[in-house]
């Protein structure tokens, strides 16, 4: 089956499902011929997507392409996926497409797979049964206009009838696309956010991931009233949107607005921590953050640092975690862990962010090659350039001009010194392992590990390249018999770690 061309004339009346009544909105269901960019994209639709539309219409239902695909195609972009709206209920759609996934059926959505195409098809909806930001079971609509009126922003509230070559645009989304502005479909704009509390995050995300887009003043003002709507949204859904915001090219500007609106503090659960009424001496690590400049100042610095990172062109999935490390750069490790646990970040993400947060502000001494090598070994050859990149963004966010320039100069010296090392960022391999240490000393279990770590420390610090030289250092420093008699000596030995620990007996030269 082949769907007729979007250019093909069709003199049939548009059915009542699309046009009857305007009870859900004072807007008319504005009908337009599909503009050329959209028409070209419709002509390129794959066979599977075309047939999904045709099968639904052939069964007596109606189907429209809606949402982001329409918006992106009108903006000259190639849509990543295709969402559809239909008059058919989920159970009716599943009869037509028995292999469909019904994961979102309670919200009126199923995922249809057909001839390699995968499309989310949603029954026309007018709500989700709650007005406090929660998403409960879908309330189905009878008309396309009701469904479009319930959508979040005007640029997402358009539908295209591919078989008839018609674009439905009741809220002026077509006019907003060239202006790069997002507007609420509702007046007042807060109603859009109340219909689904996660739309608060989606509004920020929409602007964060697109260069040059802005918010309509009414929507921007409504966001100031919306932080409380996130209380009933799951941490997983918030984290997903937050991660997209963090990796966006416009993340810094959006994070700044989120902080001004109180949303950033709400999702990080920092309201108590940012209270100006709590003096530092009364702060308790369980509820409040005590910083020399205050938690509020550190959060502002984190936002500025994200801006500096984005100016260097770093974004994407890894960029999201880098941005989060900078955003939380002034926070104690316990607070960083609490925030990430609450938002359900993965263990790998938590490990990366907490590590880089802990390293911020701890630069190696550029004049000491041994310390540079130990820095590289502790941080890792892959992570070290990332850490120095974060250090540069963190330093650029320092408000004190003199301090900022001093740190940036020191950072440049470190980068130059690392580049001058014979192996550059490469980390030398350990010369000896635990088996060697056990055979050489007769030590057991944990003591073997402690001595092995100290030997690696010495190897890097003195740039030792052969086992014989390392064994000589061991003999010079320790009497093996004494080690067996007083194993506590091993506890005080330094090891390769970053930031540097305050320990004695470093063996540095």
């Amino acid at each position: 089956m082949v769907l007729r061309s979007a250019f093909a004339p069709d003199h049939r009346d548009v059915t009542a499902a699309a046009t009857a009544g305007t009870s859900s909105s004072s807007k008319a269901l504005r009908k337009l011929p599909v503009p050329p960019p959209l028409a070209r994209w419709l002509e390129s639709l794959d066979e599977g997507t075309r047939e999904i539309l045709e099968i639904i219409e052939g069964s007596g239902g109606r189907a429209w392409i809606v949402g982001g695909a329409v918006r992106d195609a009108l903006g000259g972009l190639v849509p990543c996926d295709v969402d559809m709206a239909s008059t058919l209920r989920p159970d009716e759609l599943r009869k037509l497409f028995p292999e469909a996934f019904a994961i979102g059926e309670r919200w009126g959505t199923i995922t249809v797979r057909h001839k390699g195409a995968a499309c989310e098809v949603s029954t026309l909806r007018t709500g989700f049964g709650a007005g406090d930001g929660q998403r409960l079971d879908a309330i189905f609509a009878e008309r396309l206009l009701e469904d479009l009126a319930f959508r979040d922003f005007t640029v997402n509230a358009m539908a295209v009838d591919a078989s008839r070559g018609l674009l439905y645009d009741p809220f002026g989304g077509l006019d907003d696309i060239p202006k790069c502005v997002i507007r609420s479909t509702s007046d007042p704009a807060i109603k859009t956010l109340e219909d689904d509390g996660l739309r608060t995050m989606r509004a920020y995300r929409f602007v964060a991931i697109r260069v040059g887009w802005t918010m309509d003043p009414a929507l921007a003002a409504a966001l100031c009233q919306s932080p409380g709507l996130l209380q009933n949204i799951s941490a997983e859904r918030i984290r997903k949107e937050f991660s997209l915001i963090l990796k966006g090219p416009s993340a810094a500007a959006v994070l700044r607005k989120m902080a001004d609106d109180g949303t950033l503090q709400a999702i990080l659960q920092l309201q108590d921590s940012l209270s100006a009424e709590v003096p530092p001496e009364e702060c308790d690590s369980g509820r409040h953050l005590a910083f020399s400049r205050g938690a509020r100042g550190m959060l502002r610095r984190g936002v500025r640092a994200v801006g500096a990172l984005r100016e260097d062109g770093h974004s994407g999935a890894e960029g999201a975690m880098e941005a989060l490390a900078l955003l939380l750069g002034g926070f104690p490790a316990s607070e960083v862990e609490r925030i990430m646990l609450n938002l359900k970040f993965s263990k790998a993400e938590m490990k990366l962010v907490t590590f880089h947060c802990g390293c911020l502000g701890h630069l190696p001494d550029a004049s000491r090659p041994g310390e540079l090598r130990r820095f590289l070994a502790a941080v890792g050859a892959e992570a070290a350039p990332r850490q120095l990149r974060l250090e540069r963004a963190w330093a650029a966010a320092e408000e004190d001009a003199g301090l900022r320039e001093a740190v940036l100069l020191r950072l440049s010296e470190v980068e130059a010194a690392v580049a001058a090392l014979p192996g550059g960022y490469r980390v030398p391999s350990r010369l000896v392992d635990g088996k060697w240490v056990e055979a050489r000393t007769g030590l057991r279990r944990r003591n073997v590990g402690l001595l092995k770590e100290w030997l690696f420390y010495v190897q890097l610090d003195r740039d030792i390249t052969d086992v014989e030289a390392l064994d000589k250092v061991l003999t010079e420093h320790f009497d093996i018999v004494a080690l067996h008699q007083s194993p506590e000596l091993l506890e005080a030995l330094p090891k390769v770690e970053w930031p540097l620990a305050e320990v004695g007996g470093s063996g540095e030269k």
Side-chain angles (χ1 to χ4, degrees):
M1 293 182 288
V2 179
L3 198 67
R4 109 179 77 212
S5 168
F7 296 109
D10 193 311
H11 302 293
R12 293 177 294 172
D13 292 334
V14 178
T15 67
T19 62
T22 58
S23 59
S24 66
S25 173
S26 61
K27 299 287 184 181
L29 190 56
R30 180 186 181 196
K31 294 184 297 182
L32 301 168
V34 291
L38 182 56
R40 287 192 293 270
W41 176 70
L42 289 173
E43 291 285 8
S44 71
L45 281 178
D46 60 89
E47 181 183 5
T49 301
R50 288 171 174 266
E51 288 194 6
I52 291 173
L53 291 165
E54 189 172 53
I55 290 170
I56 293 173
E57 300 234 342
S59 72
R62 293 298 309 278
W64 301 267
I65 298 175
V66 294
V70 180
R71 178 198 66 228
D72 289 346
L74 286 169
L77 304 175
V78 178
C80 297
D81 44 44
V82 177
D83 294 339
M84 299 178 185
S86 174
T87 55
L88 298 185
R89 299 295 174 92
D91 59 328
E92 296 173 311
L93 289 167
R94 280 191 284 103
K95 290 178 181 177
L96 295 176
F97 305 99
E99 298 183 357
F101 292 96
I103 296 175
E105 186 168 354
R106 65 173 294 194
W107 300 300
T109 301
I110 68 169
T111 300
V112 173
R113 297 185 182 274
H114 181 72
K115 291 189 175 180
C119 302
E120 285 194 355
V121 184
S122 300
T123 303
L124 296 179
R125 299 171 295 201
T126 189
F128 287 116
D132 57 358
Q134 298 186 74
R135 283 187 67 185
L136 302 181
D137 293 349
I139 301 173
F140 295 128
E142 298 298 326
R143 305 173 180 87
L144 177 61
L145 178 57
E146 292 176 293
D147 181 273
L148 298 180
F150 179 66
R151 293 177 182 268
D152 49 11
F153 313 123
T154 60
V155 294
N156 294 333
M158 294 180 285
V160 62
D161 185 332
S163 66
R164 296 168 178 82
L166 291 174
L167 173 68
Y168 296 97
D169 178 27
F171 301 99
L174 184 61
D175 298 326
D176 288 334
I177 289 176
K179 298 175 185 176
C180 294
V181 63
I182 58 169
R183 287 190 299 114
S184 169
T185 57
S186 301
D187 186 10
I190 189 66
K191 183 180 182 303
T192 289
L193 307 179
E194 290 172 342
D195 285 340
D196 181 353
L198 194 64
R199 289 177 175 178
T200 294
M201 297 296 291
R202 288 176 178 163
Y204 294 121
R205 184 250 294 173
F206 195 101
V207 175
I209 65 175
R210 293 170 175 82
V211 176
W213 280 76
T214 60
M215 295 178 187
D216 170 74
L219 178 60
L223 287 169
C224 297
Q225 310 169 43
S226 67
L229 296 175
L230 293 171
Q231 293 178 355
N232 295 318
I233 305 301
S234 70
E236 291 85 355
R237 297 177 73 202
I238 292 175
R239 184 206 64 238
K240 180 179 178 180
E241 296 293 335
F242 189 40
S243 296
L244 292 171
I245 291 169
L246 288 170
K247 73 179 182 181
S250 301
V254 169
L255 289 171
R256 190 174 301 114
K257 175 166 175 55
M258 290 175 68
D260 291 342
D261 295 342
T263 304
L264 187 56
Q265 295 90 317
I267 64 175
L268 300 181
Q269 298 182 22
L270 296 178
Q271 293 91 331
D272 290 338
S273 302
L274 295 174
S275 174
E277 288 72 31
V278 181
E281 63 270 21
E282 295 181 13
C283 286
D284 180 273
S285 60
R287 280 183 60 81
H288 302 290
L289 306 178
F291 301 122
S292 59
R293 303 186 188 184
R296 191 184 301 275
M298 280 299 176
L299 194 59
R300 287 198 297 265
R301 180 173 180 174
V303 172
R304 293 196 302 273
V306 173
L309 184 71
R310 289 294 174 266
E311 288 176 3
D312 286 342
H314 296 284
S315 58
E318 186 179 76
M321 293 302 100
E322 290 184 8
L324 187 56
L326 289 171
L327 185 66
L328 304 179
F331 290 68
S334 60
E335 280 296 302
V336 176
E337 292 176 1
R338 177 191 65 78
I339 289 167
M340 297 192 73
L341 277 171
N342 287 345
L343 288 174
K344 309 296 184 184
F345 280 97
S346 69
K347 291 182 179 179
E349 290 169 329
M350 286 182 59
K351 182 178 179 180
L352 186 149
V353 171
T354 53
F355 178 76
H356 284 299
C357 281
C359 290
L360 277 177
H362 298 275
L363 288 173
D365 188 335
S367 67
R368 304 176 68 179
E371 187 168 309
L372 292 172
R373 285 187 290 269
R374 288 187 280 111
F375 164 76
L376 295 175
V379 176
E382 181 180 344
R386 179 169 60 236
Q387 182 62 37
L388 294 179
R389 182 164 67 242
L390 295 178
E391 294 284 2
R392 184 166 294 280
W394 185 249
E398 170 59 55
E399 289 186 302
D400 185 310
L403 180 58
R404 179 174 63 248
E405 293 307 314
V407 174
L408 289 173
L409 175 61
R410 185 182 172 193
L411 180 58
S412 295
E413 293 172 347
V414 170
E415 291 170 332
V418 170
L421 291 174
Y425 281 87
R426 183 181 61 82
V427 177
S429 301
R430 292 175 182 265
L431 292 175
V432 299
D433 58 15
K435 290 182 179 179
W436 184 93
V437 173
E438 185 174 353
R440 177 68 179 79
T441 65
L443 295 172
R444 295 290 185 271
R445 299 185 178 89
R446 184 169 184 272
N447 291 333
V448 170
L450 292 173
L451 188 56
K452 181 188 71 172
E453 291 305 313
W454 176 77
L455 287 170
F456 187 45
Y457 180 103
V458 173
Q459 172 194 331
L460 296 172
D461 196 61
R462 303 187 182 189
D463 197 20
I464 296 174
T465 58
D466 61 84
V467 176
E468 290 75 13
L470 193 60
D471 186 38
K472 183 179 179 181
V473 173
L474 174 62
T475 302
E476 291 174 349
H477 274 73
F478 296 106
D479 181 305
I480 302 303
V481 175
L483 279 181
H484 281 273
Q485 294 174 342
S486 303
E488 66 273 7
L489 294 173
L490 297 171
E491 298 288 347
L493 294 178
K495 59 183 177 181
V496 177
E497 60 184 344
W498 205 263
L500 293 174
E502 295 294 330
V503 294
S506 68
E508 292 184 21
K509 295 184 68 176

